[in-house]
Amino acid sequence: MAKNKEPLTYRQNVSRQEAYRIIKAVGCPLAIFALALFTISSFANFGTKLICPASGAMWIMGVIVATAMPSMRNATLVHSMTTITIYFLALLGLKMVLGVVSGVSAEMIAASYNQVIPTATGNTIPGYIQNLLWFTAVLLPVGEISYQAKQFFQFKKTQNREKTFNRVRGLRDNGRGNAVHR
């Protein structure tokens, strides 16, 4: 018996690559979550009633598809996080552009271009940007959820087809097919 009764443990320092992977695996989703909280709070009621459920649905659908498709897990999670990040950044960017453009009148545009511009144009530009904001807030999540659902059902269909082909190959290899190849 050894005098020292401490359990023997193997210790190895974490390499830089391992530390980077850990920080990336934890840091990226946390940064996206912080961006989500900032975006939702900056849009006030629009954020809590539309952006929050839409982004939550994108997160949930990405997790479901990543769980159901283990061979595509990394690609699915990277795609989901990238799309969600683009969603929040696009919404914040459009909000900033709308804030800048909404203070511009038709007279200001006419003075900067040294050309006569109808007064309706000054009101039209913020309207277009506001519509673009609505389209981004609604259509991007719908498109992402549809894409993930398509990936999921296409994967399931491919899996069923592969099982069928493997079963047929197994019958052929175990049956008469072996006698011909002798």
Side-chain angles (χ1 to χ4, degrees):
M1 262 302 171
K3 293 179 184 178
N4 190 359
K5 297 197 179 207
E6 286 185 36
L8 180 64
T9 56
Y10 175 73
R11 294 184 184 163
Q12 179 182 2
N13 292 336
V14 178
S15 70
R16 287 183 183 170
Q17 289 178 338
E18 290 172 340
Y20 174 72
R21 279 190 234 132
I22 292 169
I23 290 170
K24 188 174 120 179
V26 174
C28 286
L30 284 178
I32 295 168
F33 184 68
L35 179 64
L37 292 177
F38 176 74
T39 304
I40 291 166
S41 66
S42 72
F43 275 94
N45 224 3
F46 183 74
T48 56
K49 296 197 184 217
L50 180 68
I51 297 171
C52 183
S55 61
M58 286 192 291
W59 277 102
I60 290 169
M61 191 65 178
V63 168
I64 289 171
V65 171
T67 304
M69 299 177 1
S71 62
M72 301 287 291
R73 184 168 292 148
N74 191 32
T76 301
L77 291 176
V78 167
H79 175 80
S80 294
M81 288 193 300
T82 304
T83 303
I84 291 168
T85 304
I86 290 170
Y87 177 64
F88 291 132
L89 292 176
L91 290 174
L92 288 173
L94 287 171
K95 182 182 178 193
M96 288 184 350
V97 169
L98 186 60
V100 168
V101 172
S102 64
V104 177
S105 67
E107 293 81 20
M108 294 169 88
I109 296 172
S112 65
Y113 289 119
N114 197 17
Q115 185 170 343
V116 179
I117 294 180
T119 44
T121 304
N123 297 331
T124 305
I125 293 172
Y128 284 143
I129 295 174
Q130 189 174 10
N131 284 339
L132 187 58
L133 182 70
W134 272 100
F135 287 145
T136 303
V138 174
L139 294 181
L140 197 138
V142 168
E144 173 64 14
I145 291 168
S146 300
Y147 172 77
Q148 294 289 357
K150 177 184 170 248
Q151 289 291 102
F152 178 74
F153 290 119
Q154 192 173 22
F155 180 78
K156 289 297 180 187
K157 199 181 291 184
T158 304
Q159 289 294 93
N160 289 338
R161 188 178 336 134
E162 288 295 321
K163 286 179 185 174
T164 304
F165 283 148
N166 287 338
R167 197 176 314 126
V168 170
R169 282 188 202 118
L171 289 174
R172 190 175 348 149
D173 292 343
N174 292 334
R176 291 181 289 152
N178 286 342
V180 174
H181 294 327
R182 285 187 191 182

